[in-house]
Amino acid sequence: YIPGIRVNGMDVLAVRQAIAFGRQRAIAGEGPMVIEMKTYRYGGHSMSDPGTTYRTREEIQHMRSTSDPITGYKHRLLDNGVASEDDLKAIDKQAKKFVDEELAKAKAEPEPQAHELWDDVYVKGAEVPYLRGRVPEETHHY
């Protein structure tokens, strides 16, 4: 039996607290636990699924306007005086700059070699003797 908890995955602070609880439990030697994050998916499952055949656009918009994790956390920060609107705009601007810089670095790097795709899949010493691909010819031996 592995114990578990269900968490509102749309609430940043609830997620943080649940992860802290699970981490502390593991560090204390109490074993693993399942943490189920209940979230709402704004888009479809894939490119071929717009996500509007089984729910309305109004439902999606309602969820986005009332339950979005980033917007909800922003309101908490503002309502509790933790940050001002200007503070949050500066953080957003800094984050976008950082992402743009890192993206430029990544695009400047050469494409990885095919054999590198299997690097760091397992911790050194815990590797499996082989990893099967989609077909037998894609079996990768270590």
Side-chain angles (χ1 to χ4, degrees):
Y1 171 76
I2 297 178
I5 56 175
R6 182 175 292 151
V7 181
N8 177 359
M10 303 296 275
D11 181 337
V12 173
L13 296 179
V15 169
R16 182 180 189 275
Q17 190 64 33
I19 296 301
F21 176 76
R23 178 181 182 272
Q24 189 56 45
R25 188 176 183 289
I27 289 171
E30 297 175 30
M33 71 180 297
V34 173
I35 302 177
E36 178 186 3
M37 300 289 172
K38 299 290 283 184
T39 61
Y40 186 86
R41 187 176 27 80
Y42 297 131
H45 289 281
S46 65
M47 296 292 283
S48 63
D49 171 22
T52 54
T53 55
Y54 44 89
R55 56 191 179 169
T56 65
R57 291 186 192 281
E58 291 76 23
E59 175 192 336
I60 298 166
Q61 188 56 41
H62 172 74
M63 289 300 293
R64 190 181 296 269
S65 65
T66 61
S67 300
D68 184 75
I70 295 171
T71 304
Y73 191 56
K74 176 183 174 184
H75 288 303
R76 279 184 169 169
L77 293 173
L78 293 171
D79 293 347
N80 290 298
V82 175
S84 69
E85 195 70 55
D86 288 339
D87 293 335
L88 296 179
K89 284 180 185 175
I91 291 168
D92 192 47
K93 185 176 179 179
Q94 181 184 7
K96 286 178 182 176
K97 181 178 183 262
F98 175 78
V99 168
D100 289 344
E101 289 169 355
E102 294 301 309
L103 178 62
K105 285 183 202 175
K107 285 184 174 184
E109 289 290 319
E111 288 285 325
Q113 299 295 313
H115 67 84
E116 291 180 83
L117 295 174
W118 306 104
D119 290 354
D120 303 317
V121 173
Y122 294 97
V123 174
K124 296 271 187 241
E127 301 92 346
V128 294
Y130 64 90
L131 187 62
R132 198 181 86 201
R134 296 169 296 161
V135 294
E137 294 79 32
E138 287 183 353
T139 300
H140 302 275
H141 296 273
Y142 294 95

